[in-house]
């Protein structure tokens, strides 16, 4: 029947983008800019090849069978034979997936262990340590050795290992820079570790992928990989020009809201490391309350809020624009 | 609390819906009163213990919730169709994806599947009802109370907004102070009691009430998948009960099970949630596998290929489903060893699933494939689900998952599993068993419109999500910048969702059209099928079988049909014992709903008073000595003659 022909045709069409995905190099995950992301991408491409083979085999078999054994007007007397099954065949299609699983499992395990450590070839170098503190809805980065703190952007030296020590001031977030490596969660009272390296100078898009309330969509940051000299110069410049971070200012930053970029001398680690508790004193649930009311007074207030938000959004837009610089290659 | 805090009033969209809901309610009440149907509704439906009617009510509720969840989905697609749109604000979007997830899994997929099980399972095993008919009615009404309570949040107090997974600390009172998440905790708890009771009911029904001669390896495959699903329900739902109880205590009574303060552990919620949540995925997918198997065997006109290995495969999947929950948080900083182990257990699920796919293909092979609407759904399932399956294996590889986790790639994957796996199955099942429920077929021509629109729309909607996911788009983002370049993908996806919605509209039209115009003359076995439910009249009489059939083979009905030994002897008729209707299930469920509502708003004294109502109801129920009634032989004879023509 022609309905089935249409189906097979439609599915073949739908398969084309899947086939193309393998060689589509523009998607961020297929465009690694560092050794960690590269080993993940290699694994992904390897798995896609297996998956495509499986999909093609099943689709072809399906199309062939459905076409060949379709009911025809002239065979209405035809009574198919009963078939109990065939042990040999059933063992075959049990064994093949077992082999595929083994073939996928070995490189997966290798990669899991590999990305937990300093990337290969960089073991000798002392990693740059950056503390990541996620809060609603911004990223705070502390450089304890450089005694610098930034909000919503990170500068790192290229071709040099970076160790991120990650935690959260409240809700759970996930730190992800797809071009440099896989993501990991940030949790209050916990520290997670992530090693990343950028091969060359460049700007990379990073964001939170774990939903955490209203400002979630705007919770992005830029990773700027610089040459060693540029990085040192930047550190030097921050020391000369940036404001000192006070605890008061830090509490203000932690209040729920979307912010633009900021740079400070000094780090908040001097008075609190959220990986070891004590975040309660910065959390005020009143600030998370949502109003559904709409009497006039509140509407007025709402308008003011909107205005404020707009101002803030302007800041964020700046950030996201620049955060997306490398992302605008589409 | 002032009135405008109580009713959600800020949003024109919600206001419009409130008015629409109000008018619909008034209209319905007026219509029923005008038609003088209240007594009929109460006697025939609200107090019924007939598994078929309960099944139909489940299906009706499921379709309604499908509509609600679908509109949520369309709104999300509209909001993300272009970069920087502000059709919905962040808060509204957060509420909508939360309710979309909860409704689609718990209040759409579950009732539709349980509804079909309710209608079909007792008929397939040659029983007159489930093991506990009154408990079955209670299961439905308490599920319904939970579902209604959850939907109430939309207009009263505010919807939950922490995602369907409601991860702590976000879902705790510190970060989500409103009543929305109270609704989540309490309405899921109430509906969950119903599901657990259903699980127990079906385990007992299938163990104890099979027709004489129906040994385990002669069970229709849908009965097998229902049985195994029911066992997973019994194993997994108590975990949800405990998790939600802790959540309720945390939110309402200031305990610290999951909060960061005072030694609470948010990870405990994640573990409990997914210890239930992952098996839940298989709770909705396994019965669907059973339905596809029935439909494929019937319309290929062959017995199911490799029946035994199909049974073992389902059991294997069920067992593995309990061992993989950690794959939902590979990125939580587990040790490499833990991630490796859960990668392996997760990938192993692909093995029995692959076995099933090949068994279906070989059932089709050398058959005579008829493209009925029901069969089209089953056929489309195979390629679509394969895409969902292989992307599932990709996600299972923990290291690769570090790049897919929480992205649109994941969203695309689970829609490619759940929509072909559950929604296509429900559609296949509805077209297939409709005559058994109502005595007529759904229109095949409109059915094909429904099929093509929905399947094409489905692929258009979800295929682009794989690509934006690989391009760095995380899930649950209500907006994005133009420079990301996602606009084209998501715009296409939004168009697809409209095509899919048109498919759903075609289904609704089909139901309407068929109710009015379809031929009532379909006989008891309109598809030339293989299993016992087709051995009795369509629609099935309330006593199911005048004489309980005796079974000798797998697909016994098929062989007896070929031999022509299906006739009924008048001398075999004996009075049939049936359970009486009962008002307790609906009233008790109402009391549960009331307690839930008061708890949501933390009106504890009122909740206690309503809870006394529950206790009184339960006690009153223990004094119910009604043993049911008997249908006399001449009544049976008359009803059987009506569709058989004559008795032997």
């Amino acid at each position: 029947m022609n309905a089935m022909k249409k189906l097979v045709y439609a599915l073949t069409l739908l398969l084309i983008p899947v086939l193309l995905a393998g060689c589509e190099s523009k998607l961020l995950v297929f465009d690694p800019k560092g050794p960690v992301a590269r080993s993940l991408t290699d694994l992904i491409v390897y798995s896609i090849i297996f998956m495509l083979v499986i999909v093609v085999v099943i689709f072809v078999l399906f199309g062939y069978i459905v076409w060949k054994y379709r009911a025809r007007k002239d065979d209405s007397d035809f009574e198919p034979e009963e078939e109990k099954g065939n042990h040999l065949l059933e063992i075959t299609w049990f064994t093949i997936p077992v082999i595929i699983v083994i073939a996928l499992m070995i490189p997966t395990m290798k990669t899991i262990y590999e990305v937990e450590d300093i990337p290969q070839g960089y073991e000798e170098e002392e990693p740059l340590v950056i503390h990541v503190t996620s809060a609603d809805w911004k990223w705070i980065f502390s450089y304890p050795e450089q005694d610098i703190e930034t909000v919503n952007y990170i500068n790192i030296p290229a071709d040099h290992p970076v160790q991120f020590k990650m935690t959260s001031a409240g809700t759970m977030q996930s730190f992800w820079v797809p071009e440099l490596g896989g993501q990991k969660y940030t949790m209050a009272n916990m520290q997670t570790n992530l090693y990343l390296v950028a091969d060359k100078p460049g700007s990379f898009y990073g964001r939170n992928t774990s939903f955490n309330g209203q400002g979630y969509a705007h919770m992005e940051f830029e990773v700027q990989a610089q040459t060693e000299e540029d990085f040192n110069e930047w550190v030097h410049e921050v020391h000369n020009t940036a404001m000192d971070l006070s605890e008061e200012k830090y509490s203000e930053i932690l209040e729920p809201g979307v912010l633009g970029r900021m740079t400070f001398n000094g780090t908040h680690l001097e008075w609190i490391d959220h990986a070891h508790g004590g975040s309660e004193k910065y959390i005020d649930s009143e600030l998370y309350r949502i109003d559904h009311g709409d009497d006039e007074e509140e509407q007025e207030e709402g308008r003011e809020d909107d205005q404020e938000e707009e101002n803030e959004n302007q800041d964020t837009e700046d950030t996201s624009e620049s955060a997306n610089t490398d992302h605008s290659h589409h | 609390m002032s009135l405008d805090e109580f009713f959600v009033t800020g949003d024109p969209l919600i206001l419009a819906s409130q008015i629409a809901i109000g008018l619909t309610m008034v209209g319905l009440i007026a219509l029923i009163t005008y038609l003088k149907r209240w007594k009929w509704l109460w006697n025939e439906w609200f107090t019924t213990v007939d598994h078929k009617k309960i099944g139909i009510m489940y299906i009706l509720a499921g379709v309604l919730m499908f509509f609600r969840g679908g509109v949520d989905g369309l709104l999300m697609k509209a909001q993300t169709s272009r970069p920087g749109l502000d059709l919905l604000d962040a808060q509204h979007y957060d509420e909508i994806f939360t309710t979309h997830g909860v409704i689609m899994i718990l209040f759409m997929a579950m009732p539709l599947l349980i509804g079909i099980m309710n209608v079909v399972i007792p008929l397939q095993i040659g029983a007159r009802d489930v093991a506990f008919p009154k408990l079955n009615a209670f299961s439905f009404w308490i599920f319904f109370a939970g579902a209604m309570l959850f939907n109430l949040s939309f207009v009263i107090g505010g919807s939950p907004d922490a995602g369907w997974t409601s991860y702590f600390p976000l879902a705790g009172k510190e970060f989500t102070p409103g009543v929305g998440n109270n609704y989540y905790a309490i309405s899921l708890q109430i509906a969950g009691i119903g599901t657990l009771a259903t699980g127990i009911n079906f385990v007992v029904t299938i163990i104890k009430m099979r027709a004489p001669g129906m040994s385990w390896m002669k069970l229709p495959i849908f009965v097998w998948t229902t049985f195994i699903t029911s066992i997973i329900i019994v194993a997994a739902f108590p975990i949800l009960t405990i998790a939600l109880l802790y959540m309720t205590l945390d939110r309402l009574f200031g305990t610290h099970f999951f909060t960061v303060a005072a030694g609470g552990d948010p990870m405990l919620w994640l573990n409990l949630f997914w210890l239930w949540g992952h098996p839940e995925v298989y709770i909705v997918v396994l019965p669907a596998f059973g339905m596809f198997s029935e439909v494929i065997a019937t319309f290929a006109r062959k017995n199911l290929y490799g029946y035994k290995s199909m049974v073992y495969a389902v059991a294997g999947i069920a067992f593995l489903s309990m061992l993989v929950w950690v794959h939902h948080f590979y990125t939580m900083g587990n040790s490499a060893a833990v991630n490796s182990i859960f990668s392996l257990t997760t990938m192993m699920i692909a093995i029995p699933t692959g076995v099933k796919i090949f068994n279906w293909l070989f059932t089709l092979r050398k058959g005579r494939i008829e493209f009925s609407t029901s069969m089209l759904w089953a056929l489309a399932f195979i390629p679509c689900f394969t895409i969902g399956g292989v992307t599932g294996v990709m996600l299972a590889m923990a290291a690769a998952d570090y790049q897919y986790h929480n992205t649109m790639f994941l969203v695309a994957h689970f829609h490619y599993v759940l929509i072909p796996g559950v929604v296509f199955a429900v559609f296949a099942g509805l077209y297939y068993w409709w005559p058994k429920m109502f005595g007529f077929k759904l229109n095949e021509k409109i059915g094909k419109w429904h099929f093509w629109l929905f399947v094409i729309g489905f692929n258009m909607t979800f295929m682009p999500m794989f690509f934006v996911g690989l391009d760095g788009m995380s899930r649950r983002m209500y907006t994005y910048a133009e420079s990301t370049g996602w606009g084209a993908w998501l715009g296409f996806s939004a168009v697809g969702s409209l095509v899919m919605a048109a498919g759903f509209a075609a289904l609704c039209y089909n139901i309407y059209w068929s109710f009015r115009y379809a031929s009532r003359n379909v006989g008891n076995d309109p598809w030339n099928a293989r299993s016992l439910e087709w051995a009795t009249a369509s629609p099935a009489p309330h006593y199911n079988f005048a004489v309980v059939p005796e079974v000798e083979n797998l697909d016994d009905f098929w062989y007896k049909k070929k031999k022509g030994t299906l006739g009924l002897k008048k001398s075999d008729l004996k009075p049939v014992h049936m359970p009486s209707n009962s008002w307790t299930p609906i009233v008790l469920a109402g009391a549960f709903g009331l307690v839930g509502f008061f708890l949501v708003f933390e009106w504890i004294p009122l909740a206690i008073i309503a809870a006394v109502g529950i206790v009184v109801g339960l006690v009153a129920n223990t004094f119910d000595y009604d043993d049911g009634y008997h249908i006399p032989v001449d009544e049976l004879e008359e009803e059987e003659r009506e569709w058989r023509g004559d008795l032997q």
Side-chain angles (χ1 to χ4, degrees):
Chain A
M1 204 179 137
N2 95 45
M4 206 26 59
K5 203 153 102 190
K6 269 193 242 165
L7 177 68
V8 174
Y9 180 67
L11 287 167
T12 318
L13 268 184
L14 284 164
L15 190 63
I16 290 168
V18 184
L19 287 162
L20 289 177
C23 36
E24 167 78 82
S25 63
K26 277 181 183 167
L27 299 177
L28 284 192
V29 165
F30 293 114
D31 194 17
K33 299 284 171 59
V36 183
R38 197 166 305 116
S39 55
L40 298 180
T41 307
D42 289 347
L43 180 68
I44 289 169
V45 170
Y46 173 81
S47 71
I48 284 180
I49 293 166
F50 275 88
M51 296 308 133
L52 278 178
V53 171
I54 294 170
V55 166
V56 168
V57 167
I58 290 182
F59 278 37
V60 167
L61 209 58
F62 172 80
Y64 170 76
I65 288 174
V66 169
W67 180 250
K68 173 140 195 224
Y69 300 103
R70 70 194 188 279
R72 281 171 240 210
K73 287 210 177 77
D74 57 349
D75 72 345
S76 52
D77 308 332
F78 165 62
E79 197 62 68
E81 270 174 60
E82 301 284 305
E83 265 186 300
K84 279 289 167 229
N86 178 326
H87 285 299
L88 195 68
L89 277 173
E90 286 172 72
I91 289 168
T92 312
W93 62 59
F94 180 81
T95 316
I96 293 171
V98 170
I99 294 167
I100 293 175
V101 166
I102 294 170
L104 293 175
M105 195 57 216
I106 294 166
T108 302
M109 264 182 82
K110 245 183 75 197
T111 317
I112 293 174
Y113 278 89
E114 196 180 292
V115 299
E116 280 301 313
D117 237 320
I118 301 179
Q120 273 173 0
Y122 294 92
E123 295 93 337
E124 302 301 312
E125 290 172 66
E126 194 59 39
L128 168 71
V129 175
I130 300 177
H131 282 252
V132 177
T133 306
S134 54
D136 291 333
W137 292 277
K138 73 279 296 177
W139 292 95
I140 300 162
F141 302 102
S142 321
Y143 298 70
E145 274 166 64
Q146 287 71 19
D147 203 30
I148 286 178
E149 185 144 313
T150 62
V151 175
N152 288 335
Y153 78 98
I154 336 172
N155 287 357
I156 55 168
D159 206 25
H160 187 94
V162 183
Q163 182 186 9
F164 293 97
K165 294 186 171 181
M166 313 198 293
T167 188
S168 165
T171 55
M172 185 186 293
Q173 287 87 2
S174 185
F175 176 93
W176 190 33
V177 188
E179 288 155 292
L180 297 186
Q183 60 187 293
K184 212 171 247 187
Y185 280 170
T186 62
M187 295 163 283
N189 292 6
M190 274 278 294
Q191 186 180 288
T192 43
N193 276 291
L194 189 68
Y195 291 98
L196 296 181
V197 174
D199 288 332
K200 280 185 221 118
S203 160
F204 312 108
Y205 167 77
R207 66 163 290 109
N208 168 25
T209 72
S210 176
F211 173 69
N212 64 333
Q214 283 195 58
Y216 161 72
H218 302 296
M219 203 167 154
E220 302 173 333
F221 57 92
E222 183 196 2
V223 180
Q224 176 102 45
Q226 303 169 313
T227 59
E228 227 38 83
E229 301 87 73
D230 284 349
F231 176 75
N232 291 334
E233 197 181 310
W234 171 73
V235 172
H236 188 71
E237 196 187 301
V238 172
H239 278 302
N240 289 336
T241 56
M243 210 168 49
D244 282 339
L245 182 64
S246 65
E247 189 169 2
E248 199 188 344
K249 180 69 191 168
Y250 181 68
S251 311
E252 215 176 280
I253 292 173
L254 282 188
E255 281 171 18
V258 176
L259 298 174
R261 298 177 180 212
M262 295 177 179
T263 315
F264 298 100
N265 257 314
T267 73
H268 73 269
L269 299 172
E270 284 160 37
W271 55 87
I272 180 167
D273 182 350
H274 297 273
H276 304 111
S279 305
E280 309 83 68
K281 75 178 207 198
Y282 297 96
I283 295 167
D284 178 2
S285 2
E286 280 309 307
L287 297 173
Y288 287 91
R289 206 165 275 288
I290 300 143
D291 257 321
H292 283 293
D294 77 334
D295 49 316
E296 270 175 45
E297 214 176 310
E298 265 167 313
Q299 267 191 339
E300 204 105 330
E301 245 174 74
R303 243 173 255 140
E304 270 166 47
D305 280 352
D306 282 351
Q307 204 111 59
E308 257 175 46
E309 226 173 287
E310 240 165 65
N311 292 340
E312 275 169 354
N313 279 347
Q314 230 142 34
D315 288 347
T316 10
E317 257 165 64
D318 292 345
T319 337
S320 38
E321 289 285 314
S322 43
N324 287 324
T325 41
D326 193 66
H327 202 230
S328 52
H329 54 195
H330 291 278
Chain B
M1 179 182 273
S2 67
L3 206 62
D4 64 289
E5 266 178 84
F6 188 68
F7 289 107
V8 180
T9 47
D11 193 303
L13 276 174
I14 294 180
L15 189 69
S17 325
Q18 275 167 326
I19 294 167
I21 291 168
L23 288 176
T24 313
M25 300 273 268
V26 172
L28 265 180
I29 291 170
L31 186 72
I32 297 167
T33 312
Y34 175 75
L35 296 170
K36 300 205 175 74
R37 285 292 198 166
W38 284 110
K39 204 169 161 205
W40 170 81
L41 264 184
W42 180 262
N43 289 334
E44 294 289 315
W45 294 94
F46 291 173
T47 60
T48 187
V49 292
D50 181 344
H51 68 94
K52 298 175 290 296
K53 286 184 175 169
I54 290 170
I56 289 167
M57 289 194 289
Y58 264 119
I59 290 167
L60 192 64
V63 171
L64 275 178
M65 291 294 99
F66 198 172
F67 181 78
R68 160 78 210 267
V71 171
D72 283 347
L74 288 175
L75 282 171
M76 283 191 281
K77 291 277 77 184
Q79 166 60 26
T80 54
S81 62
R82 309 288 327 130
L85 276 191
D86 55 359
L87 188 68
L88 303 174
D89 60 19
Q91 177 59 27
H92 200 163
Y93 190 84
D94 298 347
E95 291 178 9
I96 281 179
F97 71 67
T98 304
T99 53
H100 172 77
V102 174
I103 285 175
M104 286 307 203
I105 293 283
L106 287 151
F107 300 131
M108 183 279 283
M110 294 292 278
L112 281 170
L113 292 168
I114 290 177
I116 294 174
M117 286 180 197
N118 252 300
V119 172
V120 176
I121 295 298
L123 288 166
Q124 280 201 331
I125 60 173
R128 293 219 166 95
D129 208 324
V130 293
F132 311 110
K134 205 199 232 180
L135 180 68
N136 198 24
F138 176 70
S139 297
F140 169 73
W141 285 111
I142 199 163
F143 144 76
F144 191 71
M148 289 302 109
L149 185 64
F150 188 82
N151 276 278
L152 207 59
S153 69
F154 169 49
V155 285
I156 296 181
S159 295
D161 57 357
W164 93 279
T165 52
S166 276
Y167 277 8
F168 277 79
L170 176 64
K173 209 159 193 176
E174 277 174 295
F175 298 106
T176 316
V179 295
N181 278 37
N182 296 353
Y183 270 113
Y184 175 96
I186 292 159
S187 57
L188 262 59
Q189 186 71 283
I190 291 174
I193 298 170
T195 309
L196 182 56
T198 299
I200 295 167
N201 214 335
F202 278 104
V203 169
V204 179
T205 303
I206 294 168
I207 292 178
K208 300 294 283 188
M209 300 188 55
R210 283 168 290 143
M214 188 180 267
S215 60
W216 287 104
M217 282 300 154
K218 288 175 191 153
L219 282 183
I221 194 80
F222 181 46
V223 178
W224 258 118
T225 58
T226 300
F227 180 66
I228 290 168
T229 302
S230 304
I231 290 173
I232 318 180
I233 289 177
V234 175
F237 265 76
I239 306 172
L240 178 70
T241 305
I242 295 301
L244 290 171
L245 175 69
Y246 287 176
M247 186 185 201
T248 309
L249 290 171
D250 268 13
R251 291 192 56 90
L252 266 55
F253 302 103
T255 56
H256 293 285
F257 287 101
F258 305 130
T259 54
V260 177
D265 186 358
M267 280 298 297
L268 179 61
W269 167 263
L270 270 77
N271 277 289
L272 290 175
F273 182 86
W274 285 116
L275 261 169
W276 160 78
H278 196 84
E280 167 67 17
V281 175
Y282 291 89
I283 290 169
V284 295
V285 164
L286 292 181
F289 286 176
M291 291 185 208
F292 286 131
S293 304
E294 301 283 345
V295 169
I296 286 175
T298 298
F299 293 105
R301 261 212 256 163
K302 275 182 68 192
N303 62 331
L304 191 63
Y305 192 92
Y307 169 84
K308 275 191 188 175
S309 64
M310 289 290 247
V311 172
Y312 296 136
V314 173
I317 293 171
F319 175 71
L320 287 171
S321 78
M322 306 296 286
L323 303 178
V324 301
W325 77 97
V326 172
H327 72 216
H328 294 273
F329 39 93
Y330 279 147
T331 63
M332 190 74 63
N334 305 311
S335 70
V338 168
N339 278 354
S340 298
I341 289 165
F342 281 92
S343 274
L344 182 63
T345 55
T346 306
M347 275 192 235
M348 279 165 66
I349 290 191
I351 300 165
T353 312
V355 169
K356 295 186 70 74
I357 297 267
F358 279 100
N359 277 330
W360 283 315
L361 286 176
F362 272 69
T363 306
L364 293 168
R365 184 176 145 269
K366 295 187 179 170
R368 184 176 180 276
I369 303 169
E370 276 175 65
F371 299 101
S372 68
T373 309
S374 181
M375 182 64 154
L376 285 180
W377 288 111
L379 292 175
F381 155 78
I382 293 176
C384 294
F385 189 82
T386 302
I387 295 174
V390 295
T391 50
V393 174
M394 289 167 70
L395 280 153
M397 302 160 66
D401 178 67
Y402 300 155
Q403 290 285 33
Y404 314 131
H405 188 78
N406 268 342
T407 66
M408 294 302 278
F409 185 90
L410 165 81
V411 177
H413 154 71
F414 69 69
H415 283 91
Y416 260 93
V417 174
L418 287 172
I419 293 181
V422 182
V423 180
F424 287 14
V426 165
F427 288 152
L430 280 182
Y431 282 90
Y432 185 60
W433 281 301
W434 197 268
K436 200 43 67 181
M437 290 188 267
F438 299 103
F440 59 89
K441 289 182 183 178
L442 286 171
N443 182 295
E444 285 283 306
K445 206 171 163 192
I446 309 173
K448 282 180 182 140
W449 273 100
H450 169 207
F451 171 79
W452 286 109
L453 286 170
F454 199 91
V455 171
I456 291 169
F458 156 72
N459 281 293
M460 283 174 69
T461 308
F462 296 103
M463 187 58 77
M465 291 187 187
F466 284 119
F467 300 101
V468 285
L470 292 171
D471 200 27
M473 184 179 186
S474 66
R475 67 196 293 204
R476 297 167 171 170
M477 286 175 72
Y478 84 104
T479 192
Y480 52 94
E482 198 172 349
S483 57
T484 55
W486 301 331
W489 293 110
L490 295 171
F492 183 76
S493 167
V495 173
S497 71
L498 289 175
V499 178
M500 198 166 37
F504 183 75
L507 170 68
C508 295
Y509 178 68
N510 197 353
I511 292 175
Y512 164 80
W513 191 93
S514 306
F515 254 102
R516 290 198 64 166
Y517 306 113
S519 158
R520 261 51 182 175
N521 191 16
V522 293
N524 63 311
D525 181 24
W527 310 116
N528 194 9
R530 314 180 67 85
S531 45
L532 265 184
E533 72 271 31
W534 305 103
T536 191
S538 299
H542 61 302
Y543 51 80
N544 290 0
F545 300 94
V547 173
V548 170
E550 287 207 28
V551 174
E552 287 151 17
N553 281 304
L554 178 63
D555 293 340
D556 198 60
F557 172 65
W558 175 261
Y559 296 111
K560 290 212 171 114
K561 186 160 63 180
K562 298 279 143 195
K563 272 196 275 176
T565 55
L566 281 164
L568 186 67
K569 281 200 204 98
K570 200 152 81 175
S571 55
D572 285 346
L573 287 177
K574 290 189 187 71
V576 169
H577 177 251
M578 296 298 291
S580 303
N581 284 2
S582 167
W583 54 267
T584 33
I586 184 170
V587 173
L588 262 182
F592 268 96
L594 217 54
V595 173
F597 182 75
F598 294 142
L599 280 180
V600 165
F601 286 92
E602 302 177 37
W603 297 336
I604 307 299
L606 282 173
I608 292 171
I609 293 168
V612 171
I614 296 177
V615 176
V616 171
L618 286 171
V619 171
N621 187 45
T622 62
F623 288 98
D624 176 10
Y625 297 116
D626 189 340
D627 278 340
Y629 62 100
H630 283 87
I631 306 171
V633 170
D634 43 338
E635 202 181 312
L636 291 176
E637 207 184 307
E638 198 184 320
E639 283 213 37
E640 290 295 307
R641 252 183 231 287
E642 210 169 284
W643 68 274
R644 288 177 191 267
D646 201 11
L647 306 184
Q648 285 171 10

